[in-house]
């Protein structure tokens, strides 16, 4: 528990000492104390030298850098019955996610500087964790979006090459090229080929959720990724391929010369669920774009994540209400929530031996910060922001509805027992979640992204 101690040296009344945790540093666990003042890690040492206003005794817990989720849909403005910036950020805090990058397919979509600015203003004072917002590409807004680059809270441009939830779409090479030529930041892309999606949707009957992976097949994703990587070479613009779902895309991301300019993301649900089982068990709840595919694709995604072909894990947190999801396929919306379960699911995988704690830190904090050059984020290192999640690896508990912070109120993983849960989440030295409860006022603020490295290490 948190024990306030009266004597404080230094000016920061919120300074925090985290004492006795096992810290994940450089591929190993070491018992170190973490001293945070003025929002920044000051010391990481067996014994702290400075004095801090508060002490958090963390013996028996493991400290990871606060997670960064590079793909979330928080539905505000316009779709707040599914989620809003406050409830979505609560899910983040409860899940150890201390920074999120939010998607532009709200209502209205974030396609102008004014709409982007409105989102930043809405989040200040209501988000519990730090944030940035993508702006959505349209056929004619490349110059407008370029003007946002460098502003705190701007995550860059998002292009939907295939249509999904909402109206955003830039389907043709000419449109994508125009956006890749405008600006410097990494461009995030939903890569499914619209022409093929339309042909499939005409050809393949939609009778049940099991049809979804055929109506948006792996070929549609691979065609779009190939087109995108060709355009990367032509424009020399770094991109981020969102939610890779297939062995075919992984092969392209291994072989295509444009891979060097690309980072790539995989979701926990594509790593942990597979067809047809997920559709048998979850029905429409498992429907998302691009779809959950067969076991061979799932295995290929793990292999690609382990060998660095896939850069990082992002959730594509896409809350819809259960009533909306209950509409008969294909009228149900696509997407599932994921912010709060990202870390427990991965800790449970670490317990099962599928991945290591160091890999979790790499895939959910270091690489996201590096790929998007998120300033001050990505590691437990003196000089970086004091974003920490303290985890209890021995806590074995079922994911029950009462734990769910997202307004949508469900998760595809409800009812599962998971071993390893976040117990405390700390944002820039302030505790925002402790022992199952949200703590304090929302203190999230906009993060600043920089120009990406032309080529990420390891590409
Ligand atoms: O399944 C999805 N849901 N994929 C997307 O690309 C969008 C998301 C949403 O916003 O619902």
């Amino acid at each position: 528990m948190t024990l306030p101690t009266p004597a404080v040296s230094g000016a920061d009344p919120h300074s925090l000492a985290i004492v006795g945790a096992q810290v994940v540093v450089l591929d190993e666990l070491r018992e170190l104390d973490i001293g945070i003042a003025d929002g920044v890690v000051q010391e990481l040492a067996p014994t702290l030298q400075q004095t801090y206003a508060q002490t958090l005794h963390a013996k028996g817990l493991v400290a990871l850098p606060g997670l960064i989720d590079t793909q979330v849909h928080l539905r505000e403005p316009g779709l707040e019955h599914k989620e809003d910036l406050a409830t979505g950020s609560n899910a983040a805090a409860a899940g150890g996610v201390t920074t999120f990058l939010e998607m532009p397919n709200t209502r209205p979509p974030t396609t102008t500087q004014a709409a982007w600015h409105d989102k930043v203003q809405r989040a200040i004072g209501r988000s519990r964790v730090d944030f940035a917002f993508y702006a959505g590409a349209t056929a004619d807004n490349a110059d407008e979006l370029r003007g946002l680059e460098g502003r705190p809270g701007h995550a860059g441009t998002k292009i939907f090459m295939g249509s999904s939830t909402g109206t955003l779409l830039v389907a043709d090479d000419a449109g994508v090229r125009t956006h890749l030529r405008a600006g410097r930041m990494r461009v995030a892309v939903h890569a499914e080929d619209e022409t093929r999606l339309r042909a499939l949707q005409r050809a393949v009957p939609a009778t049940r959720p099991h049809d979804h992976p055929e109506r948006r097949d792996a070929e549609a994703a691979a065609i779009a990724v190939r087109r995108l990587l060709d355009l990367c070479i032509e424009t020399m613009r770094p991109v981020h391929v969102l939610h890779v779902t297939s062995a075919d895309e992984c092969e392209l991301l291994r072989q295509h010369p444009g891979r060097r300019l690309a980072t790539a993301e995989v979701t926990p649900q594509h790593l942990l669920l597979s067809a047809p089982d997920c559709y048998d068990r979850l029905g429409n709840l498992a429907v998302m774009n691009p779809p959950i595919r067969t076991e061979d694709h799932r295995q290929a995604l793990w292999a690609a994540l382990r060998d660095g072909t896939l850069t990082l894990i992002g959730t594509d947190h896409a809350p819809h209400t259960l009533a909306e999801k209950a509409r008969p396929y294909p009228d149900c919306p696509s997407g599932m929530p994921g912010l709060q379960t990202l870390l427990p699911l991965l800790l449970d995988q670490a317990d099962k031996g599928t991945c290591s704690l160091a890999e979790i830190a790499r895939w959910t904090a270091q690489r996201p910060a590096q790929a998007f050059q998120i300033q001050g984020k990505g590691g437990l290192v003196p000089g970086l922001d004091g974003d920490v999640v303290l985890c209890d690896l021995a806590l074995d508990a079922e994911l029950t509805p009462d734990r769910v912070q997202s307004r949508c109120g469900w998760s595809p993983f409800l009812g599962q027992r998971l071993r390893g849960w976040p117990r405390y989440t700390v944002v820039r030295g302030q505790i925002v979640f402790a022992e199952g409860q949200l703590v304090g006022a929302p203190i999230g603020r906009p993060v600043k992204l920089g120009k990406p490295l032309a080529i990420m290490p390891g590409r």
Side-chain angles (χ1 to χ4, degrees), residues 23-234:
V23 185
V24 179
V25 230
L26 303 178
D27 290 353
E28 57 182 41
L29 276 180
R30 285 163 55 190
E31 188 168 323
L32 293 171
D33 295 348
I34 308 168
I36 306 170
D38 301 322
V40 170
V41 177
Q42 307 291 333
E43 305 176 74
L44 192 68
T47 311
L48 297 176
Q49 301 301 308
Q50 298 173 33
T51 313
Y52 297 85
Q54 288 196 308
T55 303
L56 180 54
H57 291 284
K59 204 154 184 66
L61 302 181
V62 164
L64 286 165
L67 280 69
I68 299 169
D69 193 341
T70 48
Q71 190 186 180
V72 309
H73 302 263
L74 300 191
R75 309 303 191 198
E76 182 177 347
L79 299 160
E80 290 91 342
H81 66 285
K82 300 175 196 269
E83 188 80 290
D84 67 25
L85 291 165
T87 57
S89 81
N90 290 345
V97 174
T98 52
T99 304
F100 63 77
L101 309 186
E102 204 267 352
M103 286 292 163
N105 57 337
T106 40
R107 217 178 265 166
T110 320
T111 54
T112 60
Q113 294 194 7
W116 171 84
H117 187 256
D118 173 55
K119 270 195 177 173
V120 174
Q121 292 310 310
R122 286 168 182 266
I124 293 169
R126 289 180 51 238
S127 177
R128 230 167 251 287
V129 303
D130 290 347
F131 53 82
F133 296 100
Y134 292 99
T138 67
D140 53 14
N141 71 350
D143 285 338
E144 168 126 9
L145 299 195
R146 176 190 221 146
L148 289 172
E149 292 208 336
R151 299 219 210 150
H154 179 46
T157 295
K158 156 80 181 278
I159 302 177
F160 280 91
M161 290 175 74
S163 43
S164 187
T165 307
T167 53
L168 290 172
L169 183 65
V170 179
D172 59 324
D173 280 358
V176 176
R177 183 184 290 112
T178 304
H179 279 279
L180 295 186
R181 283 198 175 135
R184 300 276 157 82
M185 291 170 72
R186 190 175 293 282
V187 176
V189 183
H190 179 126
E192 287 184 284
D193 184 79
E194 183 67 10
T195 307
R196 183 163 175 95
L197 291 183
R198 287 192 188 170
L200 289 172
Q201 278 154 30
R202 281 192 301 271
V204 183
T207 54
R208 53 185 200 144
H210 299 67
D211 302 329
H212 200 59
E214 282 177 63
R215 289 165 50 82
R216 304 182 78 113
D217 69 0
E219 182 65 17
I223 293 171
V225 169
R226 187 189 299 279
R227 285 174 48 211
L228 180 66
L229 295 177
D230 287 346
L231 288 166
C232 277
I233 296 179
E234 188 186 318

